[in-house]
Amino acid sequence: MTGTKREKKNAIWRKIHALRFEDVKRWCVRRLPVLEWAPNYNWRADLVPDTVSGMMLAVQQVTQGLAFAVLSSVHPVFGLYGALFPAVIYAMFGMGRHVATGTFALTSLISANAVERLVPSVRNNFTTNNTSAVLGLSDFDMQRIGVAAAVSLLGGLIQVAMFVLHLGSATFLLTEPVISAMTTGAATHVVTSQVKHLLGMKMPYISGPLGFFYIYAYIFENIKSIQLEALLLSVLSIGVLVLVKELNEKFKNKIKVVLPIDLVWIIASSVASYSTDLKNSYGLDVVGHIPEGIPPPQPPPMNILPEIVTEAFSVALVGYVASLALARSSAKKFNYSMDDNQELLAHGLSNVIPSFFFCIPSAAAMGRTILLYSTGAKTQVACLISCILVLVVIYAIGPMLCWLPMCVLASIIVVGLKGMLMQFRDLKKYWNVDKIDWSIWVSTYVFTICFAANVGLLYGVVCTILIVVFRFPRATTLSLKQMKEAECRFKTETDSFEQNTLLSPVSNGNCHGESSLQQRTVERQTLIFDCSGLTLFDYTGIAVLTQIYTDSKKRNIDVLLANCKASLIKALKLNSRLESDNAVFFESVSSAVGAIQFNRNFCKLNEHTEV
């Protein structure tokens, strides 16, 4: 027995010694991406654009933080904390260089359900005069942020658990139509929740199934209670914000720095509100007292965790799905790799750790990502610079915003959701490619509107699984035929489809060498797809095929498509970069190979003629 134990101990020690330093380093870099990009940061080339982007991002983080905190039914100051801590955590653990984590409309709306249910607006035992020891806020405000922070904590733990179980690989079920419909429906819910502030109405919190329709029914029943001053200020705010943002987008190539209209309008409306005393003269709701500084960390109330499981799961799924879509878009646009599973860890920790600092649930937002695109951000340093400026606001500028009208904050929320609401335009491209994708989009949107974002997401995923199951038996698989050229199988990183291909390392006729007779023709490889097996395809398949075409072009590889059905050609031309490139379509593989051979011979003939 003693010898057996000794042998086991020796085996364990051998395994420990076998774990080399490089393996540990590689694991740390994989799980903490900041260790990879920070030492290689190009201070000379990237610092200036990152600084400019960080300043612009800080403006949006502050305005959205205040607005989404109100949306989450907590005091606005907690939105400033939510604009700070999650961004720092994600910059260390996340892989998206243009993903700015912070307060998010959809997760704020979900957490508001738990806040309003557990700490309703009818202040039973709490009054505004009953202040707590934290920031001088009322016990009522602290009760509410405790619930929101608990939702953030549990939602983050669920995301970390999904990371441990490697569920990031299951994201292939989250197709673009499902994500687009869910986020559009959730954005519609957010706009609806802000109508009361836009109109200056006093109304109870309404949620649950068909709550979307009950809200508008209540508004029409009490339409006489609309405050004309709030309505006019809301219309003016939305008009100014939309107009200036459109002008910024139109002239972004001609001006170095866009106008931060959100910040300018907040300052202007706060000054106007203070000067005219809108609160007392016209009865408009304002933000109120915003304390300065950051309180010491405190754990969320653990005793309510069993009561917020539904909201926590919704925050974990909806927040991750929306953030992952932006991270993928960023990686695709700027050509760098991304690990879906690592994003689960990054967003999980971005919810768990900040929950101890009175933060509401966080995720990436489309508006902030687009801002980083347009201002030329290079790395995650832009987010860290924005965090420094958010700290300045928390300690110095925040208390000056107490006169900001609530209808202005609601207007900022509505305008900030423009990008999501514009996804209605996706319906046209889905209809052109696959009517089933179109029907999934519409039905997922309806389910999201009638119930909630998590229900719509679940419905969309179930529909995707059923369609894959029923379509799969109808698909055909072809084997690679023997050809005279070099043959190989082209593999993609997606499971949407797999087609047999032919790689031909021959010239396509693009001859170079006009400046020198001795310069040899630069050979280009050609990739031929036999598309006869594509009996069924959807928008995701078309997007993958288009991405292969684009990536191959960047690598100096021509792509030819053979045996394409008319419907496939139409879908590709209507919904991809192939709309003007008829030279990529051929009736058969042999005709595609013949075209390659003809171009090669023509190129050689030109070379002999020059000689």
Side-chain angles (χ1 to χ4, degrees), residues 109-155:
L109 186 64
I110 293 171
S111 66
N113 292 333
V115 172
E116 293 287 351
R117 188 179 75 251
L118 298 179
V119 188
S121 298
V122 180
R123 307 180 183 185
N124 298 326
N125 300 320
F126 302 103
T127 64
T128 55
N129 297 324
N130 187 15
T131 58
S132 68
V134 181
L135 300 173
L137 297 175
S138 66
D139 286 337
F140 174 75
D141 289 327
M142 298 310 301
Q143 282 276 92
R144 288 201 147 194
I145 188 56
V147 175
V151 173
S152 178
L153 172 63
L154 188 54

Side-chain angles (χ1 to χ4, degrees), residues 5 53 125 175 201 209 213 330 385 472 520 593:
K5 291 183 178 180
S53 298
N125 300 320
T175 60
M201 295 182 63
F213 303 100
S330 172
I385 292 175
F472 183 79
R520 300 187 61 183
V593 174

Side-chain angles (χ1 to χ4, degrees), residues 29 54 60 107 114 119 135 151 154 166 180 183 267 317 334 391 411-412 452 460 469 489 549 605:
V29 170
Q60 197 167 81
T107 54
V119 188
L135 300 173
V151 173
L154 188 54
H166 293 277
S180 175
T183 53
I267 295 174
L317 295 178
F334 295 96
L391 269 176
S411 301
I412 292 174
V469 170
R489 182 177 295 274
Y549 175 84
L605 178 62

Side-chain angles (χ1 to χ4, degrees), residues 382-395:
C383 295
L384 296 178
I385 292 175
S386 74
C387 293
I388 297 174
L389 299 178
V390 171
L391 269 176
V392 174
V393 173
I394 292 174
Y395 279 94

